[in-house]
Amino acid sequence: PTRRPVSTRRPTRRPTRRPTRRPTRHPSPPSSPSRSERSPPTRRPTPNRRPSRPTGGSSSRCVGDDKPETRRDGQRYKFKLEGEDAQCVDRRGRHYENGEISDVRDFEECAKRCVKDIRSGMLDSLRGIDYDCDGRVCHCLFDRGTLSESRNRRVFDRSNRDENGDGPVDDTSRERDFYCGKLIDMWEGSEAVDGGEDVTAVVE
């Protein structure tokens, strides 16, 4: 029998190339809208801030009575709140020498202590008070030279003799957390000696 012819060709190989990889680039983000297309951001309303200190009246924490009165030896002494955030000065803008009393509750107590705690001979030179509310310190104000005597200084925790104020309180200078009180009247017995806005008629 005749043989079938044997093919001498080798079978062709399959292609060896692998398929190409997918592109690795991320799709570009969409373009941002132009300024004209953007909606303007809405601002939140800013709350109204409260004033740091009361206006148009004395602070109830520091001043219970803005015209305190106190008695000593049959006489009554009346003070008036002259200014807040302020210290007392005379007509020439000078501060007064003063004696300090610590741990004083408020403006009213300061007025009482400056009348009752000092020597009676010092009352004629008393012009007013400066109350430091933040430090709870009461400053009793006197004409210059009053505290030159050591016995007049003993009643105070500290004293300041470097100031030259003299005569009635006439104005104030700015000082935070201080309250200036002016001595305005003194009553003798049942009759009042009115110093008005000038205490000279009372103590001189």
Side-chain angles (χ1 to χ4, degrees), residues 162-192:
D162 295 334
E163 308 296 345
N164 295 312
D166 193 62
V169 172
D170 187 69
D171 204 349
T172 62
S173 67
R174 185 168 178 77
E175 186 66 33
R176 184 172 176 78
D177 286 321
F178 271 72
Y179 293 79
C180 163
K182 176 179 180 178
L183 177 61
I184 56 171
D185 295 315
M186 183 177 72
W187 280 262
E188 296 179 348
S190 59
E191 296 182 0

Side-chain angles (χ1 to χ4, degrees), residues 11-30:
T12 57
R13 295 180 180 177
R14 294 181 181 178
T16 57
R17 292 183 182 178
R18 295 181 180 177
T20 57
R21 295 180 179 177
R22 294 180 182 177
T24 57
R25 292 183 181 176
H26 296 284
S28 58

Side-chain angles (χ1 to χ4, degrees), residues 188-199:
E188 296 179 348
S190 59
E191 296 182 0
V193 177
D194 186 5
E197 293 302 312
D198 187 349
V199 76

Side-chain angles (χ1 to χ4, degrees), residues 38-50:
R38 295 176 184 173
S39 59
T42 56
R43 294 183 179 179
R44 294 180 180 178
T46 304
N48 295 328
R49 295 182 179 179
R50 295 181 180 179

Side-chain angles (χ1 to χ4, degrees), residues 70-79 101 110-129 140-143 146-147 152 155-156 167-168 183-188 199-204:
T70 188
R71 293 172 177 269
R72 179 168 175 177
D73 299 332
Q75 295 181 337
R76 289 190 296 173
Y77 298 82
K78 183 176 181 179
F79 295 80
I101 304 174
C110 180
K112 291 179 180 179
R113 298 285 297 273
C114 284
V115 170
K116 295 185 175 184
D117 289 9
I118 66 176
R119 296 179 60 250
S120 59
M122 300 169 65
L123 287 168
D124 288 345
S125 300
L126 180 65
R127 294 299 182 178
I129 59 174
C140 307
L141 311 180
F142 301 95
D143 287 332
T146 304
L147 299 179
N152 289 346
V155 297
F156 300 111
L183 177 61
I184 56 171
D185 295 315
M186 183 177 72
W187 280 262
E188 296 179 348
V199 76
T200 307
V202 179
V203 299
E204 290 189 352

